[in-house]
Amino acid sequence: MIVNSLSLCYHNKLILAPMVRVGTLPMRLLALDYGADIVYCEELIDLKMLQCKRVVNEALSTVDFVAPDDRVVFRTCEREQSRVVFQMGTSDAERALAVARLVENDVAGIDVNMGCPKEYSTKGGMGAALLSDPDKIEKILSTLVKGTQRPVTCKIRILPSVKILHLKLEDTLSLVKRIERTGIAAIAVHGRKREERPQHPVSCEAIKAVAETLSIPVIANGGSHDHIQGYLDIEDFRQATAASSVMVARAAMWNPSIFLKEGPRPLEEVMQKYIRYAVQYDNHYTNTKYCLCQMLREHLESPQGRLLHAAQSSQEICEAFGLGAFYEETTRELDARRGKLLARSPEEVEEPAEDTSGIIKMAVKFDRRAYSPQITPKMCLLEWCRREKLAQPVYETVQRPLDRLFCSVVTVAEQKYQSTLWDKSKKLAEQAAAIVCLRSQGLPEGRLREEGPSLHKRKREAPDQDTGDPRAQEPVLPGELCKKPFLALASGKESPLEGW
Ligand SMILES: Cc1cc2nc3c(=O)[nH]c(=O)nc-3n(C[C@H](O)[C@H](O)[C@H](O)COP(=O)(O)O)c2cc1C
């Protein structure tokens, strides 16, 4: 039997189960804080991962696997490196191995999902569909065991021939014996059949039969709600299934402090801690919101639940939980860190300089809160161009690979305008460019409490100054305007409705 050299021990462990959307970095770190020994990431599909580039994110101190559309598909950090298991969805041994090799230096273990009954997984021959193709299972697992340095595991469900009362388990037991022979380090067994849903009882007997048959560690799963409601129940479930370890999904999603020996922490405290990690690691706000909704569950109709439901940004989520100041402070620190990285000489980042001398620049940012929701600088600029019978403004936006921030240049009457501050999104960068154009022309830009719309009413402001927005007081970063190579994102005529 082949045994991987760099083994993560799967004996006697508390494990955070793989959960799509839930098992992202903030949740995994939180589960570790509360006592989980091993944390699985959400299932990530092989084809998606194979499009990703591994990027060291110096500002966040993370390693990111970034898709061509610039989405971070998998983000991890040193803190979890020895405890995180990467779960993939695959139906092909070669692809599986390519993914394992892509991530193996950043994770502690590689897992193959063989239990997901959802159509998006099974129709590609992945997840639970694999259970009816033992030859493929064998090929995938033995290829991984031979080809990766990390311990390989898989997560299965029990097979349909199981009859709980008579313990007719031949199919499941012969499958797991075959799986064990591939040399995997452990196997997680969700004690339900493929067509069963969480409301069906989990079969502790089936998991136990597997545990008594195999010599590798068996990880019992499926106990949330009926068996596992608190920390002590985890050990009871382990004993009832005679398993080596227990993997918890829903109970941990509802309150990750379930792993805490001393008992669970109040949900409010847990959610705050979760949010702090989410902000610190720049988690996408929709994912943060989803996870918080799972925790709030029956309190979604509470005033806090309503605020969460309405939140459209990480900042608004923070404000709903009384963490507005924390958000400000953390994003300021992150911006400063990014600034320092950017201040490194262009030679360090091997970017040729670009002549930007003909562009009018100011250090401004678009702060939504300072503008009326119906009027944005882009709208004002478009309106002004129409009135002056000028061609529509043309925005060209670039993204800097180093930190993936955006900068937009707007061209109006053959003159280019640009903010020297980089933004988190293309939309914000375009608004900032529009502000530079409007301010340098002394035009109204739609700020709240701004004087009437007449042209040339505002006093001209000197370039590189901004009077209103505190964030715009940030220093212009040396060399930031000549960073290359840029990833050109968009160039085209402004549509009156776009981005508003
Ligand atoms: C929101 C959610 C997402 C899930 N995503 C995955 C997944 O990505 N991979 C996987 O193998 N199982 C996934 N599962 C199944 C769980 O890992 C687990 O097998 C199941 O919930 C039973 O465990 P429990 O009783 O502790 O909840 C998911 C479950 C939930 C609730």
Side-chain angles (χ1 to χ4, degrees):
M1 187 193 287
I2 306 151
V3 177
N4 293 72
S5 49
L6 301 169
S7 264
L8 176 68
C9 171
Y10 289 90
H11 275 291
N12 202 17
K13 295 288 188 277
L14 297 180
I15 300 175
L16 175 72
M19 281 182 278
V20 165
R21 295 189 78 186
V22 175
T24 48
L25 184 59
M27 177 61 88
R28 299 198 302 266
L29 293 178
L30 198 54
L32 288 175
D33 282 354
Y34 285 131
D37 300 302
I38 296 173
V39 289
Y40 279 54
C41 74
E42 60 179 332
E43 177 196 42
L44 294 165
I45 305 300
D46 57 3
L47 284 168
K48 182 95 191 161
M49 281 305 295
L50 291 176
Q51 297 176 345
C52 290
K53 261 176 85 170
R54 180 183 182 277
V55 177
V56 176
N57 185 329
E58 291 179 79
L60 296 178
S61 304
T62 58
V63 172
D64 299 345
F65 291 84
V66 184
D69 64 3
D70 242 36
R71 276 178 209 219
V72 176
V73 175
F74 176 56
R75 170 166 284 163
T76 183
C77 66
E78 203 182 336
R79 161 93 207 286
E80 65 167 6
Q81 197 184 0
S82 60
R83 324 253 219 114
V84 64
V85 172
F86 181 90
Q87 188 191 59
M88 71 173 93
T90 189
S91 60
D92 179 85
E94 295 312 314
R95 282 205 305 268
L97 182 57
V99 173
R101 293 219 169 119
L102 178 69
V103 299
E104 67 182 356
N105 290 330
D106 300 300
V107 300
I110 305 286
D111 184 77
V112 179
N113 183 358
M114 300 183 179
C116 180
K118 298 267 166 69
E119 205 194 321
Y120 66 77
S121 204
T122 54
K123 79 171 178 223
M126 301 179 290
L130 283 172
L131 294 175
S132 43
D133 193 347
D135 290 343
K136 197 179 269 179
I137 291 182
E138 191 175 290
K139 178 102 194 288
I140 292 173
L141 292 178
S142 46
T143 303
L144 282 173
V145 170
K146 279 187 213 123
T148 174
Q149 307 217 346
R150 298 295 163 203
V152 176
T153 55
C154 66
K155 178 165 174 277
I156 64 162
R157 285 182 174 236
I158 49 182
L159 293 181
S161 65
V162 175
K163 283 211 181 95
I164 303 303
L165 288 178
H166 312 292
L167 278 182
K168 191 167 169 270
L169 284 159
E170 293 89 351
D171 289 355
T172 305
L173 297 185
S174 67
L175 177 68
V176 294
K177 278 193 232 162
R178 203 169 161 188
I179 287 177
E180 186 180 43
R181 284 197 294 272
T182 64
I184 60 163
I187 183 168
V189 182
H190 178 182
R192 290 187 179 86
K193 287 178 260 174
R194 174 176 165 171
E195 61 283 358
E196 286 179 328
R197 292 294 162 265
Q199 58 272 22
H200 292 105
V202 64
S203 170
C204 293
E205 294 86 345
I207 302 174
K208 189 172 181 199
V210 174
E212 285 168 351
T213 301
L214 300 186
S215 35
I216 54 170
V218 168
I219 303 164
N221 172 246
S224 290
H225 194 266
D226 293 353
H227 295 262
I228 302 173
Q229 279 152 23
Y231 177 82
L232 294 175
D233 303 330
I234 301 178
E235 174 58 16
D236 290 348
F237 186 60
R238 194 189 67 75
Q239 285 186 15
T241 53
S244 273
S245 295
V246 174
M247 172 184 268
V248 185
R250 286 164 299 153
M253 168 176 81
W254 296 325
N255 187 341
S257 69
I258 182 117
F259 294 112
L260 210 54
K261 218 184 281 162
E262 298 77 26
R265 300 301 306 159
L267 210 51
E268 179 70 21
E269 178 186 313
V270 174
M271 289 191 293
Q272 293 222 353
K273 217 163 147 30
Y274 175 84
I275 295 169
R276 284 172 190 269
Y277 272 136
V279 174
Q280 207 175 318
Y281 286 101
D282 205 9
N283 202 43
H284 197 277
Y285 84 91
T286 52
N287 182 253
T288 304
K289 190 168 160 175
Y290 178 81
C291 292
L292 291 169
C293 285
Q294 306 307 314
M295 294 186 213
L296 266 182
R297 289 210 289 166
E298 61 262 31
H299 304 296
L300 278 171
E301 286 305 312
S302 67
Q304 193 169 48
R306 293 220 176 107
L307 282 174
L308 176 63
H309 186 71
Q312 290 302 316
S313 64
S314 293
Q315 182 166 17
E316 285 173 15
I317 293 173
C318 285
E319 281 161 1
F321 286 80
L323 289 171
F326 170 79
Y327 176 85
E328 292 286 339
E329 196 183 315
T330 310
T331 47
R332 211 176 310 121
E333 269 170 29
L334 283 177
D335 285 349
R337 239 186 275 166
R338 286 184 179 119
K340 263 196 200 145
L341 290 168
L342 294 170
R344 293 186 304 192
S345 68
E347 301 80 60
E348 274 179 84
V349 275
E350 294 172 12
E351 292 175 355
E354 185 186 49
D355 179 16
T356 61
S357 52
I359 303 179
I360 294 180
K361 298 167 206 158
M362 291 181 198
V364 295
K365 280 206 177 203
F366 173 61
D367 180 356
R368 257 192 208 100
R369 292 165 304 181
Y371 291 81
S372 120
Q374 289 84 23
I375 304 173
T376 64
K378 281 176 71 180
M379 290 168 83
C380 293
L381 184 58
L382 180 64
E383 193 49 40
W384 181 75
C385 289
R386 280 190 183 145
R387 250 182 288 144
E388 297 294 308
K389 305 223 173 346
L390 293 169
Q392 288 185 9
V394 176
Y395 293 87
E396 287 176 85
T397 306
V398 292
Q399 191 180 23
R400 196 165 44 186
L402 181 69
D403 52 11
R404 302 203 300 284
L405 294 179
F406 297 82
C407 179
S408 190
V409 177
V410 63
T411 306
V412 174
E414 292 176 16
Q415 173 63 55
K416 292 182 187 298
Y417 305 85
Q418 168 190 17
S419 171
T420 53
L421 303 179
W422 292 67
D423 269 300
K424 281 187 190 147
S425 76
K426 178 174 169 264
K427 279 184 190 166
L428 290 174
E430 287 177 350
Q431 297 290 4
I435 294 173
V436 176
C437 177
L438 291 161
R439 285 193 193 174
S440 65
Q441 302 296 315
L443 297 169
E445 60 191 65
R447 286 179 84 98
L448 293 168
R449 291 184 297 279
E450 189 172 56
E451 287 174 41
S454 74
L455 305 182
H456 307 292
K457 207 160 195 175
R458 289 172 62 105
K459 258 178 53 189
R460 257 184 121 88
E461 285 161 11
D464 286 341
Q465 281 180 18
D466 176 48
T467 49
D469 175 4
R471 297 192 63 153
Q473 306 304 326
E474 295 163 37
V476 179
L477 303 165
E480 74 168 350
L481 285 169
C482 47
K483 300 284 178 193
K484 281 272 246 169
F486 291 131
L487 180 63
L489 284 179
S491 168
K493 290 215 160 167
E494 178 62 83
S495 136
L497 296 173
E498 191 203 72
W500 297 345

